[in-house]
Amino acid sequence: MTIAGAQEGAMYGIRRAVAAAMARDLTAFVLPGPSVARSMGIDLANAHLRLVGTPRHANLLIVVGPLPPGLRDAAAVTYAQMPRPRAILALGAGDIAPLPDADVSAPLTRAGLRSGLADLRRVIAAGAFRADTGEFNAPALEVRVEYTCPMHPEIIRDAPGDCPKCGMTLVPRETASDGHGGHGGHDMPREDRPNPADHAHAGHAQDAGGSGAYTCPMHPEVISDAPGKCPKCGMNLAKAEEVESHGHGHGHGHGHASHAPSAHGDHAGQDDKAGGSGAYTCPMHPEVISDAPGKCPKCGMNLVKAEEVESHGPGPGHGHGGHGGHGKQQDHSGHDGHAGHGGHSKAAIDGIEPHFMSMVEMTKDQPRSSDGLQMDWIKVPFGPFFPGLPAGLRLTLTLDGDTVAASDATSLVGATDLMDGPQMRVADFVERLATMMPLSPVSYRALACAAIEVAAGVEPDHDARRARAAAVERERIASHLNWLAEFGLQSGFLWLAARAGALQLAVQGADVAGIATQAGAIRRLSRRVQAAPLMRMRLRRIARIGKDAPASGPVELARGGGSDARTGDPTLKDLGFEMRVRNGGDALARLRQRCDEIAQSLDLIAAAGRIAVPQVPDVDRVSGEGAARIETPRGAAQLRVKLTDGRVVEADLDTPSDVNIALVETVTAQQELGDALSAVASLDLSPWEVRG
C-alpha cells in the first residue's frame, strides 16, 4: 500500500468541514471504465461509492489496471476537468503518468479496493490534500496550432497551406494538443480576428490613401502601396476604389444584399454578359467572366457557374448591402441612420467574418441534408470515456440538427503489436494476448493455447477440452451481463445496470456449482429484460443491419443467420451445442440474441461438469505453424502462429470487433442522437480487439 503526495498539518474551519464531507461522500469516475473494472472482478457498485458519468461531478478518480498509451493523454484531460479538491486511487495501475502520483495505490483485487478506499478516506479526513489541488499541468494539456480556412472552417490541417476548396491561405488557430480538450481551440486566434474598432471604416477610400492604394477585399484594414497578397488570408490585393465600389461605398441601401441581380437595374448588363450555363464568374467580383472553370485573377477564389451566383444574388455587401464585411452590428449613425445594412448580421461561426462571401460559395461543397437543404453540420466527439460506450472508443458524430449525418469510430487502445520482440516464450505470448483483451481474456487465452497446440502437434485430453469450453462459456455469460449493465446505464434503465453488474461479478470466477446457484436469477433477469415494454419500444427498429453487411457474433446471428465457430467444434457438439439465431437485425434482436446465448451457455457449463482455464502447453524445442478459431463473446476470432525451437516468432490475429466496428456508420446513419448512441452500444464493440 502506498500513500503519496499528501500534506500534513492542522485543519481549521471550512477546510475541516470539506475534508469530512469529501471522505464521507466519494463520487468516483472510473478509468478506463466500469466495464473494464467489472471484467477484472472489481465490485465498484458495493464499495459505498457514487459512480458518475462525467469527471466534472467526481472528486475521486479510480484507475483500474495499467493505462494503455492511447488513453494516457485522455486520462490527463479527464483529471483536469475534476473539481477541487480531488484524489486519485490507483488499483494495480503502476505508473500512471502523465497523471500525478496516486494519493493511494492498492492491488487490483476486491480486497485492494476496500483497503485502498479506507486509506483514502483516512487521508482525506485528516486533511492531507494534494499540494497541487489548484493546478495541474501535463503535456496533454498544452496547446498546439492547427490550420483552417477562414471560409471553410471544416478544412483543418496540421501544417500551413492552401484551402483545397477555395484556394485561400490557411490561417492558424490554437487547439488542445490531443484533441480531447473540448472545442476551445476552434476559434481563430485573437490576433487574427479583425478588430471592430479598426475595422469600422478602414476600407473607405479616405483611409485607403487614394487611387494608388491596394487593400484586401476580406480584410480592408490591410493597406498596401503596391499589388500583392493579403498577409492574413492570402487573397490578391485589389485597388481600394474597387473594394469601395463593391460593398464599402456609402450607398448603404436597405439591406438588399441577397436580392437577385434582376431586381436592380444597374446589374442588368452583368446578367447579359454572364450569358448561358457555360459561363463562370467570381462570387466576389461578378465583373469577372470566364468560359471555363478556374480562379479569379483578382482574389484567387474558385470561379462558379454564373447562374448559381444569379440565383442567390450578388454577395453580401455588393452595391446594395453596403458594409458587407462587418461581421457584427456596429454603430453607423454617421451614415444617415439607414436601417438594414446588408451583411451586418453576426457571423455564423464566431470569429469568422463572412465579408463579401455569397451564399453560393458559403454552401458550396457542403453536404446536402435529406430535406434538400445545404447547411453547416456539427461534429461532436464522444469517448474515449463515455457512459454506455466501451472504454477506449472514440466516436465522432456529425450532426445535421439532431440527426446523425455521418460517423467515425476509432480505437485508442487496439492495434498493439502481438509480439514483444522478434521472438517470445510461449507462456509469455499467451499471457500477453490475454492481457491485451481485458474484456475477454479467457477466450483469447484459449485461442492462443489452441493455435500453439496445433503448431506443436499437441492435443489436450477429452476432459481438458470440455473444461476449457466451459471456461469460455462462463466468460460469455459474464461478458453479455457486462454488456447488459453498460447498456442499461446508457439507456436509463438503472435497475438493469445494477442487477446485471452484480450477476456478472457473481459468475465470472465461479465454479460449476456457483454458476448453478446463480442460474435462476440470471434466467429471470433475461426474461424481464426481453419482456420490458419500454425496452422493446426503445430498441425496436433501431440500428437495423442488412444481411449483406459483414458482421460477426451476436450482431450477425441476430439478423436471421450466419455462422458460429462452435458449430464445427466436436467438444461443443458433444456438450449439446446448437446454433441459435434471431430475426430482425435491429438492436432489440441483438439484445434477445445475447439473452439466448446466456441461457445456452448455462446449459453447456452444466453439461461440462467442470471449469478450467486453459493451461499453456509444453512445446519445448518444437517448430511448426498452426491456426485456431474460437467463438468469443463478440464473435469469431482466429489466430495464426509460427513456432521456432519452442518460441513464437510470428503471429497474426483476426477479431470480431475488427469486423463490427465498420458497422458504426451503418447503424447511426439518419438516427437521432440518442438512438445513435444506443445503436453503437448494441454492437458490443471491444476497442481492445480492434486491429485495423
Side-chain angles (χ1 to χ4, degrees):
M1 186 71 63
T2 303
I3 301 176
Q7 300 184 82
E8 300 294 341
M11 293 189 298
Y12 301 96
I14 189 68
R15 186 164 175 254
R16 182 185 295 276
V18 171
M22 183 177 173
R24 181 177 58 254
D25 185 24
L26 291 176
T27 55
F29 187 84
V30 185
L31 297 182
S35 60
V36 176
R38 284 192 297 267
S39 68
M40 294 180 174
I42 305 301
D43 188 2
L44 296 171
N46 291 321
H48 303 291
L49 294 169
R50 183 163 63 91
L51 300 183
V52 294
T54 169
R56 299 182 186 277
H57 296 160
N59 55 31
L60 173 62
L61 184 69
I62 300 180
V63 183
V64 179
L67 277 176
L71 294 185
R72 288 177 173 261
D73 285 352
V77 174
T78 297
Y79 180 72
Q81 297 177 23
M82 294 173 57
R84 286 69 164 170
R86 56 194 172 179
I88 299 177
L89 171 62
L91 302 176
D95 181 19
I96 59 175
L99 289 171
D101 292 335
D103 295 271
V104 174
S105 298
L108 184 60
T109 62
R110 295 190 191 184
L113 172 64
R114 289 193 297 270
S115 62
L117 286 174
D119 281 319
L120 184 66
R121 288 189 168 94
R122 176 178 60 80
V123 169
I124 294 172
F129 293 115
R130 296 190 53 83
D132 63 349
T133 56
E135 298 296 333
F136 165 65
N137 294 312
L141 304 178
E142 295 176 357
V143 171
R144 70 178 177 86
V145 175
E146 62 185 22
Y147 297 83
T148 186
C149 176
M151 303 308 300
H152 299 96
E154 71 273 14
I155 301 297
I156 300 173
R157 298 289 186 268
D158 293 328
D162 296 330
C163 176
K165 291 189 175 182
C166 67
M168 291 180 62
T169 301
L170 303 181
V171 298
R173 71 182 185 187
E174 293 182 349
T175 187
S177 62
D178 67 338
H180 299 292
H183 301 282
H186 283 238
D187 292 332
M188 294 176 64
R190 187 176 182 86
E191 60 268 20
D192 290 338
R193 300 178 187 171
N195 186 325
D198 297 337
H199 183 74
H201 295 285
H204 293 325
Q206 59 264 39
D207 299 327
S211 61
Y214 294 82
T215 186
C216 175
M218 300 296 294
H219 300 96
E221 70 274 15
V222 175
I223 306 295
S224 175
D225 295 330
K229 288 186 176 291
C230 175
K232 292 190 173 184
C233 67
M235 290 181 63
N236 293 338
L237 301 181
K239 286 189 175 182
E241 55 263 33
E242 295 181 8
V243 177
E244 181 182 340
S245 66
H246 285 84
H248 280 280
H250 294 280
H252 290 279
H254 301 280
H256 299 302
S258 306
H259 286 197
S262 59
H264 307 290
D266 56 323
H267 294 295
Q270 290 179 197
D271 293 343
D272 295 336
K273 186 177 179 181
S277 60
Y280 294 81
T281 186
C282 175
M284 301 289 294
H285 300 95
E287 69 275 11
V288 175
I289 306 295
S290 173
D291 294 331
K295 290 186 177 292
C296 175
K298 293 189 175 184
C299 66
M301 290 183 61
N302 291 336
L303 302 180
V304 299
K305 287 191 174 182
E307 59 262 31
E308 296 181 5
V309 177
E310 291 175 16
S311 65
H312 289 77
H318 183 79
H320 294 274
H323 296 286
H326 295 288
K328 298 182 181 180
Q329 189 75 34
Q330 298 179 36
D331 182 15
H332 292 274
S333 57
H335 295 282
D336 301 326
H338 288 283
H341 298 280
H344 276 276
S345 61
K346 187 181 185 300
I349 301 175
D350 190 25
I352 299 178
E353 311 278 11
H355 296 281
F356 304 95
M357 183 61 69
S358 72
M359 288 304 297
V360 171
E361 186 63 23
M362 290 189 72
T363 63
K364 184 175 180 287
D365 298 327
Q366 288 286 87
R368 188 172 294 275
S369 304
S370 55
D371 56 10
L373 298 176
Q374 287 181 305
M375 58 190 297
D376 288 335
W377 291 2
I378 303 173
K379 288 188 176 181
V380 182
F382 296 88
F385 312 117
F386 192 82
L389 295 181
L393 181 73
R394 177 187 285 171
L395 175 66
T396 302
L397 299 179
T398 302
L399 298 182
D400 177 8
D402 60 356
T403 302
V404 175
S407 60
D408 179 65
T410 57
S411 169
L412 297 183
V413 293
T416 305
D417 291 336
L418 297 178
M419 301 285 296
D420 184 14
Q423 58 180 11
M424 295 184 66
R425 294 174 57 247
V426 167
D428 293 339
F429 175 80
V430 173
E431 200 62 39
R432 178 178 176 85
L433 185 59
T435 303
M436 288 171 57
M437 310 297 180
L439 298 183
S440 47
V442 175
S443 296
Y444 283 93
R445 183 181 180 90
L447 178 64
C449 289
I452 291 168
E453 288 165 353
V454 173
V458 177
E459 186 173 349
D461 61 35
H462 178 264
D463 290 341
R465 291 197 304 270
R466 291 169 65 96
R468 177 186 299 185
V472 174
E473 295 306 312
R474 180 182 62 183
E475 184 172 80
R476 193 181 318 278
I477 296 172
S479 180
H480 288 348
L481 288 171
N482 199 359
W483 174 80
L484 277 173
E486 289 297 294
F487 193 78
L489 181 65
Q490 192 222 63
S491 303
F493 299 99
L494 298 185
W495 63 268
L496 176 58
R499 189 61 180 144
L503 288 172
Q504 180 211 349
L505 290 165
V507 303
Q508 67 179 19
D511 57 13
V512 172
I515 291 177
T517 301
Q518 301 293 334
I522 294 173
R523 296 182 191 274
R524 285 193 297 273
L525 176 64
S526 178
R527 290 193 296 269
R528 181 183 177 185
V529 167
Q530 297 183 73
L534 289 177
M535 186 69 75
R536 293 200 304 270
M537 293 172 59
R538 181 76 177 84
L539 301 179
R540 191 184 299 275
R541 293 185 294 275
I542 295 295
R544 183 168 287 156
I545 299 172
K547 293 186 178 182
D548 294 335
S552 185
V555 176
E556 180 185 26
L557 297 172
R559 59 185 185 182
S563 62
D564 190 312
R566 293 175 290 178
T567 303
D569 189 330
T571 300
L572 270 300
K573 184 178 181 180
D574 183 55
L575 293 175
F577 170 78
E578 293 183 359
M579 188 176 74
R580 300 187 179 183
V581 299
R582 283 278 186 170
N583 294 309
D586 56 9
L588 181 61
R590 290 190 281 279
L591 179 145
R592 290 172 169 172
Q593 176 68 30
R594 294 186 178 101
C595 289
D596 290 347
E597 292 186 3
I598 288 174
Q600 186 177 53
S601 293
L602 290 171
D603 295 336
L604 294 174
I605 292 171
R610 187 170 73 92
I611 300 174
V613 176
Q615 299 299 310
V616 180
D618 184 8
V619 293
D620 188 37
R621 312 301 296 178
V622 174
S623 299
E625 297 183 19
R629 190 166 181 261
I630 193 172
E631 190 72 15
T632 76
R634 292 164 183 83
Q638 182 166 308
L639 175 67
R640 296 167 291 278
V641 298
K642 181 179 180 180
L643 303 180
T644 299
D645 293 332
R647 293 180 177 266
V648 180
V649 295
E650 293 181 13
D652 186 48
L653 177 66
D654 298 323
T655 74
S657 290
D658 241 351
V659 177
N660 291 339
I661 195 171
L663 295 169
V664 169
E665 185 173 4
T666 300
V667 302
T668 58
Q670 298 303 308
Q671 299 283 348
E672 294 186 355
L673 177 57
D675 290 341
L677 295 175
S678 295
V680 176
S682 75
L683 299 178
D684 190 20
L685 300 172
S686 173
W688 312 81
E689 295 180 2
V690 176
R691 310 291 302 161

